[in-house]
Amino acid sequence: LAKTTQPISMDSYEGQEVNITCSHNNIATNDYITWYQQFPSQGPRFIIQGYKTKVTNEVASLFIPADRKSSTLSLPRVSLSDTAVYYCLVGDEDDYKLSFGAGTTVTVRA
Amino acid sequence: GAGVSQSPSNKVTEKGKDVELRCDPISGHTALYWYRQSLGQGLEFLIYFQGNSAPDKSGLPSDRFSAERTGGSVSTLTIQRTQQEDSAVYLCASSLWDRGSGETQYFGPGTRLLVL
């Protein structure tokens, strides 16, 4: 898995958009970018995955520039329930040994 | 459908005792993974099962740790002669192993192990 760097924490308020940028300068050609979310006392949950450009689902959007050396997870109009730790992972389909670092702790306040 | 389930949800044991942790993967998922997450730490890979292939045990921290998967479904992680440093949340995940799609692992809620 390629090394990733993301902010340790971010604070936001309900209704705002939260953008978390992950740096992955050594991303390889076959690597995907995947984001997981983890609530306290729960296992991580897959939220979105992409390879290039933009991916959107019902939970979030993932923006990937042309050089793919970074990616930005965008959470639209966050609510208190979006308070969680968000992990960025980079790897190909054979990288099954997931390894999370500290992730980004997002705290949403009323 | 049902997600990955794990039992027990919490386990308190005394140093030196053996513990067994159970994982029921999502039906139809051929790949099963065990991870460990210590307080305030990231995720640490322990072991991986895929179908009938020999498991990848490269992440097991010592020979006190073992795991098996019966009938390609339920898995048990056993820790013998537990030590205080074994205290952590043990997470199980499963996946379809649908090559080419970029693998997504689905995690259970974890078993919180406390060794006194």
Side-chain angles (χ1 to χ4, degrees):
Chain A
L1 293 170
K3 179 176 171 56
T4 61
T5 303
Q6 54 184 120
I8 294 296
S9 64
M10 297 183 73
D11 289 344
S12 184
Y13 290 92
E14 285 188 294
Q16 290 188 334
E17 179 180 82
V18 172
N19 296 306
I20 309 170
T21 296
C22 178
S23 297
H24 28 80
N25 292 317
N26 296 323
I27 190 168
T29 302
N30 293 333
D31 286 345
Y32 291 84
I33 300 158
T34 308
W35 286 81
Y36 281 81
Q37 173 191 56
Q38 187 173 24
F39 298 113
S41 302
Q42 294 188 26
R45 180 177 77 114
F46 168 89
I47 49 175
I48 200 165
Q49 183 180 73
Y51 183 80
K52 61 180 179 180
T53 63
K54 177 184 174 182
V55 180
T56 297
N57 61 22
E58 65 278 6
V59 176
S61 294
L62 180 59
F63 299 91
I64 306 167
D67 65 6
R68 305 203 322 127
K69 294 185 182 298
S70 67
S71 59
T72 299
L73 175 73
S74 180
L75 307 172
R77 300 177 297 283
V78 294
S79 63
L80 295 176
S81 62
D82 292 315
T83 292
V85 181
Y86 294 81
Y87 299 97
C88 167
L89 281 74
V90 172
D92 65 27
E93 61 185 15
D94 293 327
D95 289 328
Y96 56 81
K97 300 178 186 178
L98 298 186
S99 176
F100 293 179
T104 298
T105 299
V106 172
T107 303
V108 180
R109 307 181 192 281
Chain B
V4 176
S5 61
Q6 293 185 244
S7 61
S9 55
N10 292 281
K11 176 71 176 179
V12 180
T13 190
E14 294 179 349
K15 177 181 173 181
K17 295 284 181 69
D18 297 352
V19 296
E20 283 191 353
L21 312 179
R22 177 189 168 103
C23 172
D24 282 272
I26 294 173
S27 178
H29 280 192
T30 60
L32 186 146
Y33 317 77
W34 283 98
Y35 294 89
R36 179 168 70 176
Q37 191 171 37
S38 302
L39 186 63
Q41 301 292 316
L43 203 69
E44 176 188 4
F45 167 81
L46 296 178
I47 188 170
Y48 157 70
F49 295 91
Q50 166 57 6
N52 295 321
S53 301
D56 178 350
K57 305 179 183 178
S58 60
L60 295 179
S62 76
D63 58 8
R64 296 187 294 105
F65 288 73
S66 62
E68 61 178 22
R69 187 178 187 192
T70 55
S73 181
V74 172
S75 177
T76 301
L77 176 68
T78 301
I79 309 173
Q80 296 178 310
R81 305 180 302 281
T82 53
Q83 303 295 313
Q84 289 181 330
E85 60 263 30
D86 298 335
S87 297
V89 177
Y90 288 82
L91 291 159
C92 175
S94 69
S95 68
L96 267 173
W97 198 248
D98 182 16
R99 283 180 175 268
S101 66
E103 195 62 4
T104 298
Q105 297 183 22
Y106 298 86
F107 285 82
T111 294
R112 284 148 195 79
L113 175 66
L114 177 61
V115 182
L116 300 177

